[in-house]
């Protein structure tokens, strides 16, 4: 079992950072950004934890601008996509499973919004951290067909029970399940690339 803390850190535009704690105290911090005091307070409130990883969903600065400060109180290696411009000691492979608690966190490469976009799935299928790939009711801005491929091949096949935790608070609610997204997010309901492109025009 994993506990997820969704942290409304402000930042560039209603950004979220996440603290995830496993039953044995293993902890990961995802996209440290915005108000570092909010992150610090969440880490302190979590009690006796063992920082395992800082995970980045992609290299856009608004998702890791508090990285340096966060490493002072959450000392853990940084993992990111090989193309990510942020300083990351661990360069992920698609499908890589990082040991975490009594399970793992899977890195799923989802190029589209950026070429270095990564989603992270908890092994018990309780949560999916999507960065700017998938928002509640929407997707991250993109120009290429890569996003359509990532969504159809790598996101839609995943378990409906996953809670989608995205990088910005852009939806009607801060988070909801992937099953709900599949039912009501128009970008997950496009039967073809052409339909997807039509839908994308609404984002411009
Ligand atoms: Fe972004």
């Amino acid at each position: 079992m994993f506990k997820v803390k969704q942290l409304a850190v402000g930042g560039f535009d209603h950004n979220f950072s996440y603290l995830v704690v496993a039953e044995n105290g293993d902890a990961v911090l995802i996209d440290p950004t915005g108000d570092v005091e909010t992150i610090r307070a969440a880490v302190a409130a979590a009690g006796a934890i063992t920082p395992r990883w800082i995970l980045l969903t992609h290299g856009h600065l608004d998702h890791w601008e508090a990285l340096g400060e966060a490493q002072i109180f959450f000392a853990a290696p940084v993992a990111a996509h090989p193309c990510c411009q942020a300083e990351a000691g661990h360069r992920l492979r698609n499908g890589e499973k990082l040991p975490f608690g009594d399970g793992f966190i899977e890195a799923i490469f989802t190029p589209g919004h950026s070429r270095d976009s990564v989603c992270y799935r908890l092994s018990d299928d309780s949560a999916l951290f999507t960065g700017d790939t998938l928002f509640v009711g929407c997707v991250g801005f993109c120009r290429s067909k890569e996003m359509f491929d990532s969504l159809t091949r790598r996101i839609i096949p995943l378990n409906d029970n996953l809670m989608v935790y995205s990088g910005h608070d852009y939806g009607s609610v801060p988070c909801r399940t992937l099953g709900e997204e599949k039912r009501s997010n128009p970008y997950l309901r496009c039967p073809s690339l052409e339909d997807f492109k039509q839908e994308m025009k609404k984002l411009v």
Side-chain angles (χ1 to χ4, degrees), residues 57-63 113-114 117 131-133 135 140-141 168:
T57 59
H58 63 304
H60 291 165
L61 183 58
D62 66 307
H63 290 259
H113 169 71
S114 61
S117 289
D132 285 357
T133 295
F135 301 124
F141 183 73
H168 296 269

